[in-house]
Amino acid sequence: MSGNGGHKHSHSENELRAEALEAVLTEKGIVTAEAIEAVIRLFEEDIGPMNGARVVARAWTDPAFRARLLDDATTAVGEIEMVMILEAPLVVVPNEPGVHNVVVCTLCSCYPSGLLGISPSWYKDPAYRSRVVREPRNVLSEMGLELEPGWEVRVWDSSAELRYMVLPERPPGCDDWSAERLAALVTRDSMIGTGRPRLPSEI
Amino acid sequence: MADDKTPRVLDDAGPAAPPRKNGELLFDHVWEGRLFGLTMALYDSGAFAWDEFRERLISEIADWEREHPDGSEYRYYERWLAAFERLVADKGLCAAEDLMGRFRDLAARPAGHDH
């Protein structure tokens, strides 16, 4: 459709081509304006960590999903109906008794924002990025997360090629909760590894 | 969910990676964000597998680079637009004539009436 002459410069022609696509596809009912706007909102606003929380809650309630998530997170998160775009392939690392995981991007600020929303300012802070690798226990303690002595801390360095997310442990006292209810317990920091999920008594 | 539903992973490096600033997506014009939303919404509806779009995007970028060795005036979302038009035509989602017709109608709007 390019090179049709006229007085329109290329930016304007692109704009009209994009507008024509949207008009024809929405009129045919192939896609809705609401769905388009939902995607745009996802990128314009801080949607927070709700997508990640749903992934965690599903893993807590569905052992087969948990296994698929730990095996191939990039594919497994696609099973959940949500407006979500991965910036890069995803790896989910599970916390277990005796093992705590924490995520950083030592080079810049790579972060799974499709799942966790906009990254917190401290995540981009050079102090966090360098210190959490050298002295993770101290950094976590300063952020209010005390780990039992003897626990292993694994630090995962996100990159352009790979994003990490922590699967926190399910808190006690919510055994019969639905995945929907459990998602409210899952905090952003618990999926970065700098915090724990809320307790049922805290919501 | 369709079996051919490849995971949607936006390239973070290489030619098909969208422009970013501080890791966040960067749109120079409103239509670019709108087109991005349209592409993703159509993907969510199951109309195509992600790799089908990604392959066309990579090929559009490579074609452009071959034709423009100096690389000036490169616009990422212009390539995205071309790739998306091809995808929509190849998948039979809407006919090229329909698009062309609508394009002409939109272009013929009196000045001041397009937004």
Side-chain angles (χ1 to χ4, degrees):
Chain A
M1 237 181 278
S2 59
N4 64 335
H7 59 281
K8 300 274 180 191
H9 60 82
S10 65
H11 160 215
S12 170
E13 184 197 307
N14 288 334
E15 191 173 342
L16 293 172
R17 280 162 64 183
E19 198 180 343
L21 275 163
E22 183 180 329
V24 172
L25 289 170
T26 50
E27 277 166 27
K28 282 175 173 278
I30 295 171
V31 71
T32 65
E34 291 75 29
I36 297 167
E37 273 141 29
V39 175
I40 294 169
R41 268 201 307 280
L42 182 70
F43 284 88
E44 285 181 346
E45 294 167 18
D46 183 356
I47 55 148
M50 205 49 222
N51 281 341
R54 292 179 59 197
V55 171
V56 169
R58 171 85 184 272
W60 283 349
T61 52
D62 180 346
F65 175 78
R66 183 182 195 272
R68 291 194 294 278
L69 184 69
L70 298 183
D71 178 52
D72 177 1
T74 311
T75 304
V77 295
E79 294 177 31
I80 298 184
E81 285 295 326
M82 56 189 176
V83 178
M84 188 266 310
I85 291 144
L86 289 178
E87 300 78 7
L90 177 73
V91 171
V92 172
V93 288
N95 284 347
E96 288 156 5
V99 178
H100 183 85
N101 296 282
V102 62
V103 177
V104 64
C105 173
T106 55
L107 279 180
C108 46
S109 55
C110 295
Y111 186 77
S113 40
L115 290 159
L116 303 188
I118 307 289
S119 60
S121 56
W122 54 259
Y123 189 83
K124 304 172 188 168
D125 190 332
Y128 173 78
R129 285 160 38 210
S130 58
R131 285 187 61 223
V132 79
V133 178
R134 292 198 311 268
E135 37 172 344
R137 267 166 198 287
N138 290 341
V139 172
L140 294 178
S141 166
E142 287 163 23
M143 297 177 85
L145 180 64
E146 298 291 347
L147 296 175
E148 315 254 343
W151 276 41
E152 182 190 346
V153 183
R154 295 180 187 159
V155 182
W156 301 88
D157 193 359
S158 288
S159 70
E161 287 80 36
L162 215 52
R163 302 288 159 96
Y164 292 96
M165 187 179 98
V166 174
L167 175 60
E169 284 191 277
R170 183 170 173 162
C174 53
D175 291 349
D176 55 348
W177 286 28
S178 67
E180 193 176 45
R181 232 176 131 196
L182 286 167
L185 298 176
V186 185
T187 60
R188 178 195 68 198
D189 290 1
S190 72
M191 293 179 280
I192 303 175
T194 56
R196 286 201 177 89
R198 295 183 187 97
L199 296 169
S201 58
E202 290 173 332
I203 59 167
Chain B
M1 225 163 265
D3 285 342
D4 66 348
K5 191 153 182 177
T6 45
R8 172 172 53 192
V9 178
L10 277 178
D11 288 20
D12 221 334
R20 287 185 168 87
K21 191 178 167 189
N22 293 330
E24 282 157 30
L25 291 170
L26 190 66
F27 300 108
D28 284 337
H29 302 284
V30 172
W31 71 266
E32 297 176 348
R34 194 88 205 165
L35 176 67
F36 182 89
L38 175 64
T39 311
M40 298 307 173
L42 194 67
Y43 168 82
D44 280 332
S45 77
F48 62 93
W50 186 251
D51 280 350
E52 294 181 293
F53 173 69
R54 187 169 170 271
E55 282 158 15
R56 285 170 177 79
L57 177 59
I58 290 169
S59 126
E60 283 292 342
I61 292 169
D63 289 351
W64 189 92
E65 284 172 349
R66 247 194 321 278
E67 290 158 21
H68 302 79
D70 68 343
S72 66
E73 300 233 355
Y74 175 73
R75 294 167 196 266
Y76 175 82
Y77 281 102
E78 202 171 83
R79 296 303 96 215
W80 182 298
L81 175 63
F84 188 67
E85 283 173 345
R86 261 176 62 198
L87 177 78
V88 160
D90 293 348
K91 300 295 278 183
L93 294 170
C94 67
E97 309 86 79
D98 289 356
L99 277 183
M100 184 61 98
R102 180 57 61 101
F103 173 83
R104 289 212 189 91
D105 292 349
L106 292 172
R109 281 177 302 194
H113 287 263
D114 51 346
H115 310 294

